[in-house]
């Protein structure tokens, strides 16, 4: 890596170019040793020197037999052994998808469902792709329910449980009548079915993926934040005829909701992301209260422009778009800094029970001072190139597979003698000075010293056992810092009427900022505050990191300030 300079050209940045760069001195031989060592370390780490399995999976095709060098069309044989390595993955996938679903609205506690008399299901996102779960190459479409984005990082579904299939199974078990309309444009029939149901379940979607494929005019990223497949109209049409309309959104990120979120008949809204093969089962687990839902990993804005970046519809250079995201002020940090009211803030999510945060204690831990690192990297073992260009030509009779990258030279004249050099110290075989912030994997070990321990008391004040996602944010206090940043979270189970203590640790890294002058992490003298609560804007517990704590928490109406009338005591 990296591979071709252009897709399918076989012309690599490295391969024989790297060989030439070593021979002409542009890249030291000991740097090549380091590259090889990093690769072979992984080889030995996973035991491939002792136990190796023949390759039995081809990413180009699902055929059992075919070309082993698929793109070059060479080497016919067994290429897909169809080895089943799933084990109990489905159970974990279902749990993750359910616990990752977020309830955004639940008017009158219409959820969880309690064996309703009759339910109606609406929207093509509820049902199967007519061509099957893998009917679109690399999942590059939005036909049927959306459970995975598209691109080279996708996988083939072994199966896909649609919401409609899972809801039918649940309805049969409960004795519930179930009807459905999965044509997103059959508005007349939606009206007829919606008027009969005691709960109308609407499934809407958006889709995104990798930029090499265009789906409905969207090259990778979405070109807007609206719903696909007539989603807004489906919601409005059903809500106009059903006073208990429950909306589930499958999408790769935020969608705008202002057209319908406050409709009085839209009683519940769930964001279910891209849940994977157990999609239907996971959403049923949440709708019927078998699993406690999760919290938002991003902010949902009222307007697309609220995110603080200009919308880019075309690349601003020859290959990949470049977007200035404004330094540290990304997502909730931008909203807080500019006091923009979101529709749903980062970390938000409703629960099936109620919670009370009523105690915070900060304990300072004497970790000792932070010591900048001043060592050097090890000296190189090899410093001289012993091979000649002639010795690195392709071996005689060697068969080159088309489009493959090889380290051998085609001809000695490929080694250019005017190689470009890097920084002078990059060529020092005696090693280089380690930066003050370095010294170990992950940086200076002192960054991970624990400086504070924060204990909070949480009570489940409802009538159901539940799970809460406790979130800890820190304010570093400088004017150019974000108002506060997430520095920890815990998902904890608490039985109804019971309390628990949740413990967080704060490291030196958690309260440090990067200093460009010294090229190191520093802790500024500004006062540091810690906030704990249910979301980035629901933080009832506040304390100073010198051990003081407040009686009044963070005001949701003023994202840059503490609650009115804050008092501190030891």
């Amino acid at each position: 890596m990296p591979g071709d300079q252009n897709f399918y050209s076989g012309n690599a940045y490295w391969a024989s170019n790297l060989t030439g760069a070593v021979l002409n001195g542009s890249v030291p031989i000991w740097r090549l040793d380091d590259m090889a060592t990093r690769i072979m370390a992984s080889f030995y780490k996973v035991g491939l020197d002792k136990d190796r399995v023949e390759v039995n999976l081809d990413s180009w095709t699902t055929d059992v037999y075919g070309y082993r060098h698929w793109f070059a069309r060479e080497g016919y044989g067994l290429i897909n052994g169809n080895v089943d390595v799933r084990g109990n993955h489905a159970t974990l996938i279902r749990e993750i998808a359910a616990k990752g679903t977020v309830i955004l609205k639940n008017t009158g506690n219409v959820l969880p469902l309690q064996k309703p008399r009759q339910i109606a299901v609406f929207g093509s996102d509820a049902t199967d792709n007519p061509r099957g779960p893998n009917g679109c190459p690399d999942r590059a479409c939005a036909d049927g329910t959306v459970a995975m984005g598209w691109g080279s990082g996708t996988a083939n579904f072994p199966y896909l449980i649609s919401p409609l299939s899972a809801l039918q199974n649940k309805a049969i078990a409960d004795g519930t009548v179930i009807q459905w309309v999965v044509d997103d444009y059959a508005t007349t029939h939606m009206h007829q079915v919606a008027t009969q149901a005691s709960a109308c379940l609407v499934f809407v979607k958006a889709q995104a993926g990798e930029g090499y494929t265009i789906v409905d005019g969207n090259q990778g990223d979405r070109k807007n934040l609206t719903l696909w497949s007539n989603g807004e109209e489906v919601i409005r049409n059903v809500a106009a005829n059903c006073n208990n309309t429950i909306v589930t959104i499958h999408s790769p990120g935020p969608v705008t909701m202002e057209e319908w979120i406050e409709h009085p008949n839209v009683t519940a809204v769930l964001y279910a992301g891209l849940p994977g093969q157990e999609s239907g089962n996971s959403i049923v687990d949440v709708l019927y209260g078998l699993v406690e839902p999760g919290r938002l990993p991003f902010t949902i804005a009222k307007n697309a422009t609220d995110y603080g970046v200009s919308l880019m519809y075309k690349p601003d250079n020859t290959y990949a778009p470049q977007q200035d995201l404004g330094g540290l002020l990304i997502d909730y940090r931008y909203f807080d800094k500019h006091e923009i009211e979101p529709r749903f803030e980062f970390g938000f999510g409703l629960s099936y029970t109620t919670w009370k945060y009523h105690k915070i204690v900060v304990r300072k831990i004497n970790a000792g001072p932070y010591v900048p690192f001043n060592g050097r990297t090890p000296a190189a073992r090899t410093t001289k190139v012993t091979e000649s260009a002639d010795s690195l030509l392709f071996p005689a009779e060697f068969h080159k597979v088309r489009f493959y990258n090889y380290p051998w030279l085609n001809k000695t004249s490929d080694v250019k003698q005017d190689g470009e050099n890097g920084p002078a110290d990059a060529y020092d075989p005696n090693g280089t000075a380690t930066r003050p912030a370095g010294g170990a994997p992950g940086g200076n070990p002192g960054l991970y010293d624990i400086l504070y321990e924060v204990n909070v008391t949480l009570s489940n004040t409802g009538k159901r056992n539940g799970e809460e996602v406790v979130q800890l944010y820190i304010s570093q206090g400088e004017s150019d810092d974000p108002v506060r940043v997430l520095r920890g979270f815990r998902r904890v189970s608490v039985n109804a009427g019971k309390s628990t203590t949740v413990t967080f640790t704060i490291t030196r890294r958690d309260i440090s900022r990067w200093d460009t002058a010294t090229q190191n992490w520093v802790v500024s003298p500004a006062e540091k505050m810690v906030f704990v609560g249910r979301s980035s804007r629901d933080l009832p517990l506040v304390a100073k990191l010198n051990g003081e704590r407040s009686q009044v928490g963070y005001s949701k109406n003023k994202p840059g300030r503490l609650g009115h009338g804050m008092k501190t005591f030891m």
Side-chain angles (χ1 to χ4, degrees), residues 355-555:
W355 302 94
K356 182 179 180 181
Y357 291 73
H358 50 85
K359 187 178 181 182
I360 182 169
V361 176
V362 177
R363 183 170 69 91
K364 187 174 182 179
I365 297 174
N366 185 14
Y370 176 70
V371 180
F373 199 84
N374 62 1
R376 295 183 67 84
T377 60
R381 292 190 176 184
T382 58
T383 59
K384 295 181 180 180
V385 178
T386 59
E387 294 83 358
S388 66
D390 289 331
S391 69
L392 296 175
L393 294 172
F394 269 93
E397 307 301 324
F398 182 85
H399 173 69
K400 291 190 288 185
V401 178
R402 288 188 307 147
F403 304 109
Y404 273 43
N405 294 323
Y406 296 98
W408 293 292
L409 301 171
N410 290 305
K411 51 187 181 298
T412 57
S413 61
D414 288 344
V415 182
K416 297 179 174 55
Q417 298 306 315
D418 56 347
E420 296 182 6
N421 291 331
D425 61 352
Y427 296 88
D428 184 354
N430 298 313
T432 58
T434 302
R435 301 297 183 259
N444 190 310
L447 291 171
Y448 304 98
D449 289 341
I450 295 174
L451 303 187
Y452 300 94
E453 182 182 273
V454 180
N455 292 281
V456 299
T457 303
L458 171 72
S459 298
N460 181 344
T461 57
K463 297 180 180 180
R464 289 175 54 110
N465 299 340
E467 294 183 348
E468 174 69 323
V469 181
V470 184
Q471 302 166 41
L472 179 144
Y473 296 78
I474 290 177
S475 168
Q476 299 213 29
E478 297 289 351
S479 61
D480 58 342
D481 279 322
V483 175
R484 59 187 61 81
V485 293
L486 179 71
R487 283 293 182 258
F489 60 92
R490 299 280 188 278
R491 185 170 180 132
V492 294
S493 299
V494 186
N495 291 338
K498 301 296 183 180
S499 299
T500 191
T501 298
V502 182
T503 300
F504 294 93
T505 56
I506 297 176
T507 66
R508 181 177 280 109
R509 174 66 181 85
D510 289 330
I511 60 171
S512 297
R513 51 184 278 159
W514 183 253
D515 180 58
T516 56
T518 62
Q519 291 292 289
N520 204 355
W521 295 98
V522 298
V523 178
S524 76
E527 184 177 66
K528 309 291 186 289
M529 304 290 292
V530 59
F531 304 77
V532 180
R534 304 198 69 245
S535 76
S536 61
R537 294 205 172 186
D538 185 2
L539 299 164
L541 299 181
V542 183
K544 296 180 181 179
L545 284 183
N546 61 3
E548 295 179 334
R549 55 188 186 266
S550 70
Q551 292 177 303
V552 181
Y554 162 58
S555 171

Side-chain angles (χ1 to χ4, degrees), residues 3-15:
D4 296 354
Q5 296 180 29
N6 297 299
F7 281 142
Y8 315 134
S9 70
N11 183 20
Y13 286 104
W14 298 110

Side-chain angles (χ1 to χ4, degrees), residues 316-362:
D316 57 352
N317 60 31
T318 57
Y319 182 67
Q322 301 295 314
Q323 180 67 276
D324 182 2
L325 298 177
L328 299 177
L329 300 182
I330 298 173
D331 196 77
Y332 71 95
R333 302 177 184 184
Y334 183 86
F335 283 74
D336 288 351
K337 196 73 168 182
H338 295 280
E339 299 194 0
I340 300 171
E341 183 182 4
R343 171 53 63 179
F344 298 108
E345 70 268 18
F346 174 89
F348 177 83
L350 299 177
S351 173
Y352 281 142
T353 185
T354 55
W355 302 94
K356 182 179 180 181
Y357 291 73
H358 50 85
K359 187 178 181 182
I360 182 169
V361 176
V362 177

Side-chain angles (χ1 to χ4, degrees), residues 88-159:
N88 65 346
H89 293 181
T91 301
L92 180 61
I93 291 168
R94 179 172 178 170
E95 178 186 3
I96 292 172
K99 290 185 175 181
T101 298
V102 184
I103 297 180
L104 302 175
K105 183 178 181 180
N106 190 16
T107 304
N109 294 322
V110 297
L111 296 178
L113 297 175
Q114 304 290 337
K115 295 185 178 181
R117 174 187 57 81
Q118 179 171 326
I119 62 175
V121 180
F122 301 90
S124 62
D125 184 59
T127 192
D128 298 305
N129 182 339
R131 297 189 297 278
N134 302 310
C136 302
D138 292 343
R139 316 297 79 77
C141 69
D143 301 336
T145 192
V146 169
M148 184 189 301
W150 78 74
S152 55
T154 61
N156 287 337
F157 287 111
Y159 60 83

